[in-house]
Each structure stands twice: as C-alpha cells, then as structure tokens.
Amino acid sequence: MQLKTALIISSCLFALNLFVIYLVSVFTMELLPGKGISGNGNPGIVLWYIEIPIYISLIALIIYIINKVKFFANRTIFYPILLLCALLLVSFLEYRFAASLYHSIHDRIKEFGAVNQYTNTMFINYYTFTIGILLALIIQSIVQKLRRIH
C-alpha cells in the first residue's frame, strides 16, 4: 500500500472512529436520580461491534505509516518521553471518568454486570481511543530506537 493511500484511509478511519464514539455516548443511557432503571436493553452494545474493528484497523494503519516513514528512527528520546507523559495524563483522566461513572450508578445496577446500557461510555470513549493511539506510538518509537541501535 502506498503511503498516500494509507494516509487517506487512516484519516477516514480516524473520523469514523470519532463519529462512532460519539454515537456510543448518544446511545448510552443516563441513570437519573429518582428515576427507574430502563428495560430497553443495551442499544449501544451494537456499536461496539462496529467500533472495535474500525479502531483496530486504525491502529494497524498508524503502525504501518510510522514504520514506512520511520518517524521515530532519527528522533531524540524526547518524543517517547513526551508520549509517555501524555499517556499517563490521559490514563489518569480515563480512570477519573470511569470511577465517577461507576460510583454514581453502582448501587443501583449491581445485578446488571459491568457492561450494560449505562456503562458503554466507560469502555468506549475518547480517552480509551487516545490511550490506544498513544500506546501504538510509544511502542513504535521504542521499536524504531531498538532497530537503530542494532
């Protein structure tokens, strides 16, 4: 695959991922205080089966592009450290987001399990999207540094 084609496809997959993540948040129900629990099932779970393959394809294309361009091969150690700091920050924000969501609804939905119509956004959100991309970039920066040494 040519680099230009990979860039176009990855840009489309990036936009599609963001749109599907938005749809997951739209189809995730909110548990309002004083209201009953919804019996409508989990419409957001259908979007998981769309999001996960698109996301894996995007990550694979990012890895392909970085290897093709050899972006990290001649860079300093600054980039992996910067990416690691960004990963730590985004991971902390994801933890706070998931913990606040879990604590706000846990007592009312104990019998539903972890994945239900109220917790879709705990697993598929912009934080986890960013974490996956940052992990791919960090791993590729390390791999390219190790290849350069040998």
Side-chain angles (χ1 to χ4, degrees):
M1 177 185 310
Q2 291 185 352
L3 183 62
K4 187 175 180 179
T5 306
L7 287 171
I8 291 170
I9 293 171
S10 65
S11 297
C12 292
L13 286 175
F14 185 83
L16 188 58
N17 265 287
L18 294 179
F19 180 67
V20 173
I21 291 171
Y22 169 74
L23 287 178
V24 168
S25 68
V26 167
F27 284 103
T28 299
M29 298 178 188
E30 281 188 45
L31 189 60
L32 302 172
K35 299 285 184 182
I37 294 175
S38 172
N40 294 334
N42 189 0
I45 197 79
V46 173
L47 295 169
W48 285 41
Y49 294 105
I50 298 169
E51 171 61 20
I52 292 172
I54 295 170
Y55 186 58
I56 291 170
S57 301
L58 175 66
I59 296 294
L61 266 174
I62 288 172
I63 290 170
Y64 172 80
I65 291 168
I66 297 236
N67 278 328
K68 186 102 170 154
V69 175
K70 297 192 183 341
F71 182 79
F72 293 109
N74 297 322
R75 307 274 188 215
T76 63
I77 194 71
F78 174 74
Y79 288 101
I81 291 173
L82 180 66
L83 290 170
L84 184 62
C85 291
L87 177 67
L88 291 173
L89 174 65
V90 174
S91 297
F92 174 72
L93 292 173
E94 166 62 18
Y95 171 76
R96 287 193 53 205
F97 172 73
S100 87
L101 179 62
Y102 178 77
H103 291 302
S104 68
I105 64 176
H106 172 67
D107 293 337
R108 296 180 62 194
I109 60 164
K110 291 178 192 173
E111 65 277 354
F112 281 177
V115 178
N116 58 62
Q117 66 264 35
Y118 302 107
T119 61
N120 290 322
T121 56
M122 190 183 303
F123 303 104
I124 294 183
N125 57 52
Y126 297 110
Y127 297 125
T128 56
F129 175 75
T130 307
I131 288 170
I133 292 174
L134 287 172
L135 279 172
L137 292 174
I138 290 169
I139 291 169
Q140 284 307 302
S141 68
I142 292 169
V143 166
Q144 287 185 6
K145 288 289 180 202
L146 291 175
R147 284 183 185 161
R148 187 172 164 223
I149 291 172
H150 292 287

